[in-house]
Amino acid sequence: MNSHNENKLRVSVFGAGYVGLVTAACLAERGHHVTAVDKHQDVIAMLSDGVIHIYEPGLQELISSNLDAGRLRFTDDAAEALTGADIVFICVGTPTKRDGSPDLSQVEEVARTIAVTCTHRVLVVEKSTVPVKTASWIKRTFNLFSSEPDLYEIASNPEFLREGSALSDFMHPDRIVIGVESEWAEQKLRQLYADIEATVLVTDVKTAEIIKHASNSFLAMKISFINMIADLCDKTGADISLVATGMGLDKRIGESFLNAGLGYGGSCFPKDVNAFINIAERHGVDFSLLSETARINDHRIDVILEKIYNALWVAKDKTIAILGLAFKPDTDDIRHAPSISLIERLLGEEARLHLYDPKAATRVAALYPESPSVKYFETPYQALTGAHLVVVVTEWQEIVTLDLDRSRKLMATPVMVDGRNVFDPTTVRLAGFQYYGMGTSDEPE
Ligand code: UGA
């Protein structure tokens, strides 16, 4: 018998990674009873003590308070997590295979586990980003492995969380997309999100699956588009920031995701664009627009290296400070971070690197341990000391608010390559630096 408030649901979340943890914590905060399950026992043991293995602002506190309130628990036992569940979320990873297609083995494993373990009616919801028609495969898995496959109904409810602002994105979304096959499933998901104010778009399952890939790919395309224009600004002396402002003032275009720079990284855009291209190929549809999006993005690293070589002539034996290692601010995530390609390429040139990041340094140090060529620092100013050039890679608050006077005095030669266009070129030049931006005209007229 349910002893809890009847408007609140019992939810199990498979996968205690980034998406799963945020989903679990936020649904618990909204009063639902949530069990998150993961097969990594060490992760579950830490989480049960309220210690989380990723950095996301506010998440640690939200998990601790909901553990204390008894609305959230963690387990490595799938059967325990499924007991009495109204809704099961699939939040496991969908990494990229060598051929660019998504590896859905973890999704299939969850489907199999449900099929052999769950003996009551339940709504199974895809939250991980998956290719269109994944729900049909999950259904086939239920049919293969369960003696009562009709107990399970499948829905798609993609997440649109950004790392660094995931909690507020969950609580205040632009939209909630619900892909369902029945009125029953729609009502269950509406009940789940009843306390969250947002436009709810109800679709069939395949449409919801495509909405997620199409949204991320469109945003990635916007970034590559503005980066393409940035290259033209570089060659002609125009100012990309003002071009973006001028474009963004048109409501049909919108101002967001028009920041030119080092391009997109992270665990989502690079993976999702490639997966979407792969899906289209498999269905015989020409997605070369997205292939170009990916190609332009891959090329950003060459653009910034050209600026570095243009400034230093020779990088060998020069000290280069890299400020920011995470793929974006407010996260410790370095997956597909431009900093990694930059480090690799500059070490290939025998440069000496001074690295700084407030959260991601430990992760980078696991790939590039401290050595005569690679040093890590606690503050940006320490990293700048003795440097011949500084590259701004991630726009952390403490980096964009650098004291330029102090910085110039610390550096051997004050040269800045601003990979995110976060500094005003005139201000930096007035502070005594040589300044190179991404599409901001490298030399003053
Ligand atoms: C992205 C989407 O924004 C989320 O809606 C989606 O839920 C998520 O992927 C996902 O699929 O899980 P995220 O990867 O956390 O979120 O980060 P974004 O803030 O979207 O930034 C992605 C990359 O684009 C970063 O490397 C950022 O530096 C870059 N970017 C962003 C630009 O280069 N220019 C811009 O104008 C905006």
Side-chain angles (χ1 to χ4, degrees):
M1 251 219 10
N2 276 0
S3 58
H4 62 149
N5 177 342
E6 62 185 25
N7 290 322
K8 300 301 175 190
L9 293 164
R10 292 189 188 277
V11 181
S12 42
V13 175
F14 275 71
Y18 187 80
V19 173
L21 277 186
V22 173
T23 303
C26 289
L27 288 175
E29 180 67 11
R30 283 285 162 263
H32 300 292
H33 286 260
V34 184
T35 305
V37 56
D38 199 290
K39 50 184 188 179
H40 296 103
Q41 292 176 347
D42 48 339
V43 171
I44 290 299
M46 275 168 63
L47 288 167
S48 301
D49 290 336
V51 181
I52 69 170
H53 53 301
I54 52 170
Y55 173 72
E56 175 65 29
L59 185 58
Q60 174 87 56
E61 295 78 359
L62 204 65
I63 287 181
S64 297
S65 62
N66 281 285
L67 276 171
D68 292 347
R71 289 187 298 262
L72 177 62
R73 65 202 172 106
F74 295 99
T75 179
D76 59 2
D77 181 348
E80 183 190 329
L82 287 167
T83 306
D86 301 298
I87 297 184
V88 178
F89 275 106
I90 302 180
C91 297
V92 291
T94 53
T96 309
K97 291 201 280 196
R98 265 178 200 284
D99 65 357
S101 67
D103 174 357
L104 297 172
S105 56
Q106 295 179 54
V107 175
E108 192 263 358
E109 194 181 332
V110 174
R112 244 185 310 129
T113 305
I114 295 169
V116 298
T117 316
C118 187
T119 52
H120 67 278
R121 183 151 171 70
V122 75
L123 180 63
V124 178
V125 186
E126 301 167 345
K127 190 84 143 147
S128 305
T129 305
V130 290
V132 58
K133 289 168 98 175
T134 296
S136 316
W137 281 101
I138 294 177
K139 214 181 270 178
R140 285 166 70 170
T141 307
F142 290 156
N143 288 335
L144 266 180
F145 289 91
S146 169
S147 51
E148 289 183 281
D150 292 341
L151 282 177
Y152 324 123
E153 187 166 329
I154 182 107
S156 164
N157 168 223
E159 55 86 14
F160 300 104
L161 312 171
R162 285 164 302 173
E163 292 189 20
S165 55
L167 302 191
S168 97
D169 286 349
F170 194 99
M171 297 300 193
H172 310 283
D174 287 348
R175 78 296 208 192
I176 294 174
V177 174
I178 290 176
V180 285
E181 292 181 335
S182 74
E183 181 79 12
W184 175 77
E186 179 184 339
Q187 287 319 320
K188 273 266 172 291
L189 285 168
R190 281 190 183 273
Q191 185 182 347
L192 186 75
Y193 291 118
D195 290 344
I196 294 179
E197 219 173 291
T199 302
V200 176
L201 178 70
V202 181
T203 70
D204 61 89
V205 176
K206 282 183 271 193
T207 302
E209 288 169 337
I210 288 192
I211 286 172
K212 169 65 197 226
H213 265 135
S215 301
N216 272 7
S217 299
F218 187 84
L219 292 171
M221 185 185 70
K222 241 183 138 179
I223 297 169
S224 281
F225 183 90
I226 203 68
N227 281 331
M228 174 184 80
I229 305 295
D231 287 348
L232 183 64
C233 289
D234 260 339
K235 303 289 180 215
T236 56
D239 180 338
I240 190 62
S241 303
L242 290 174
V243 172
T245 305
M247 287 170 61
L249 284 170
D250 185 329
K251 289 194 188 66
R252 294 169 303 174
I253 297 173
E255 64 189 8
S256 59
F257 280 73
L258 287 181
N259 296 328
L262 272 161
Y264 57 81
S267 64
C268 305
F269 286 177
K271 172 168 80 81
D272 291 354
V273 168
N274 284 334
F276 213 23
I277 294 168
N278 183 278
I279 293 161
E281 262 168 20
R282 276 193 279 130
H283 290 89
V285 179
D286 179 4
F287 265 29
S288 44
L289 179 60
L290 285 188
S291 307
E292 268 307 287
T293 297
R295 191 196 59 79
I296 291 170
N297 198 58
D298 290 344
H299 182 58
R300 299 317 288 161
I301 198 73
D302 298 307
V303 173
I304 199 158
L305 281 165
E306 196 183 307
K307 286 173 189 291
I308 293 171
Y309 301 144
N310 190 21
L312 290 179
W313 186 20
V314 169
K316 185 171 190 266
D317 293 333
K318 299 272 174 31
T319 299
I320 297 178
I322 298 184
L323 298 188
L325 303 169
F327 86 95
K328 65 177 217 175
D330 296 321
T331 177
D332 61 350
D333 198 339
I334 56 163
R335 285 175 288 178
H336 291 281
S339 63
I340 303 299
S341 323
L342 194 58
I343 291 170
E344 190 64 37
R345 297 277 289 269
L346 289 174
L347 287 178
E349 293 292 324
E350 297 179 52
R352 286 186 298 266
L353 304 181
H354 282 189
L355 308 180
Y356 167 76
D357 190 285
K359 294 285 176 200
T362 320
R363 289 189 192 275
V364 177
L367 301 174
Y368 297 96
E370 180 112 1
S371 72
S373 315
V374 179
K375 299 216 176 312
Y376 293 87
F377 294 90
E378 295 290 317
T379 72
Y381 298 105
Q382 287 167 353
L384 290 171
T385 304
H388 297 97
L389 180 144
V390 52
V391 196
V392 176
V393 173
T394 318
E395 61 275 38
W396 287 95
Q397 197 54 30
E398 48 270 71
I399 294 172
V400 303
T401 54
L402 272 185
D403 177 336
L404 292 173
D405 244 13
R406 183 177 166 195
S407 301
R408 187 198 66 246
K409 288 177 192 146
L410 293 170
M411 292 181 70
T413 53
V415 181
M416 178 187 282
V417 176
D418 183 356
R420 297 292 176 185
N421 288 346
V422 283
F423 287 93
D424 171 47
T426 309
T427 310
V428 181
R429 286 182 183 127
L430 282 176
F433 283 79
Q434 270 182 39
Y435 177 88
Y436 299 83
M438 304 290 277
T440 56
S441 171
D442 289 340
E443 297 301 333
E445 300 253 316

